[in-house]
Amino acid sequence: MTDAISVARGVSWRVLHTFFTNKAFLLPSVAFPLFFFTAFVGGLSRITQVPGFDFPAGYTARDFESGFMRRLMLAAPNRSGILLGYVFSALIRWATVAAVVTIVALLAQMKIGGNGVDLFGLYALALLLNLAGTLWATGVAMRLRTQQAAPVMQMPVFLLLFFAPVYVPLNLLQGWIHGVASVNPITALLEAGRGFISGSPELALAAFAIGVGLIVGFGAWAVRGLRRAEAAG
């Protein structure tokens, strides 16, 4: 365990140093969430007038191509620490972006109906989803070991979001998209998030269960990916 923590500390420091000192990584991570916030806040501010709307208020693969990962695996006494390092650094990056977006939202006088407990639930749920996404992407990177793996990491996530009630509650969707969204696991996470913000939590238990399940499943996916990377040399 000591060896794993030591490796995790080194990997996370390298990733975070690259993230915070390289504008090519830092600026898009902060700018894109702010862009979407700015782009959609105007149009979506009128959505309350829709009838029935009653809502209240990629470093891992690059490391393989550069040869760094090969050297890291040779030097690491416990290679599980590599996964822990990527997970820890992803949490710091998420916390940084979440803090910036939250500050901007408060300055823009975003209406929040939930209390402190609700907001804690919202951030806890977002944290679980971020962990799951990190483990998914890490597993893909360990298997493909090339920067061209980025679309494989992103496309399934985009598809899940496109077939989920991102902008309106599930009951406002009609036709085939309603049927697909009803069985989409991301739907519970989005509905729970909206509930936390509005102060009327719903599907919270299901959302946290799905979040934990995704972490367990993608955790096994990432570990098996690490084993394949080891076997590939």
Side-chain angles (χ1 to χ4, degrees):
M1 180 59 68
T2 301
D3 291 338
I5 293 176
S6 178
V7 174
R9 187 184 300 115
V11 172
S12 60
W13 180 90
R14 180 178 182 274
V15 174
L16 292 174
H17 179 269
T18 302
F19 177 72
F20 286 109
T21 59
N22 191 327
K23 295 180 180 179
F25 293 121
L26 177 61
L27 293 182
S29 299
V30 177
F32 278 123
L34 294 179
F35 169 78
F36 288 124
F37 177 83
T38 304
F40 294 133
V41 69
L44 295 181
S45 64
R46 307 291 293 179
I47 205 171
T48 55
Q49 299 179 12
V50 174
F53 189 89
D54 57 355
F55 185 68
Y59 307 119
T60 312
R62 182 170 60 91
D63 286 341
F64 278 106
E65 289 190 351
S66 66
F68 171 78
M69 185 59 69
R70 185 186 300 273
R71 297 192 300 272
L72 178 60
M73 285 192 174
L74 290 175
N78 189 327
R79 292 170 179 171
S80 298
I82 298 175
L83 297 180
L84 293 177
Y86 284 118
V87 168
F88 179 75
S89 60
L91 295 183
I92 300 298
R93 290 164 56 193
W94 168 82
T96 301
V97 175
V100 172
V101 174
T102 299
I103 292 173
V104 172
L106 294 176
L107 292 175
Q109 299 182 349
M110 175 182 174
K111 294 182 180 179
I112 301 176
N115 55 30
V117 176
D118 293 324
L119 293 182
F120 176 82
L122 175 65
Y123 286 116
L125 191 60
L127 183 65
L128 292 179
L129 189 58
N130 183 79
L131 279 173
T134 299
L135 292 170
W136 154 254
T138 302
V140 172
M142 291 289 180
R143 284 169 169 79
L144 300 185
R145 299 182 292 280
T146 172
Q147 293 188 66
Q148 297 182 20
V152 181
M153 301 175 188
Q154 298 168 354
M155 188 57 66
V157 177
F158 283 131
L159 289 177
L160 287 174
L161 290 176
F162 288 152
F163 294 120
V166 176
Y167 301 118
V168 297
L170 179 62
N171 59 356
L172 291 184
L173 298 180
Q174 298 181 0
W176 66 269
I177 188 63
H178 181 277
V180 174
S182 298
V183 297
N184 188 341
I186 300 300
T187 295
L189 299 173
L190 294 173
E191 295 285 88
R194 269 193 286 265
F196 284 131
I197 293 178
S198 66
S200 303
E202 56 179 274
L203 297 178
L205 184 60
F208 278 104
I210 291 173
V212 172
L214 290 174
I215 290 175
V216 173
F218 288 140
W221 163 263
V223 171
R224 293 184 64 182
L226 176 62
R227 299 295 175 252
R228 287 196 180 186
E230 291 176 334

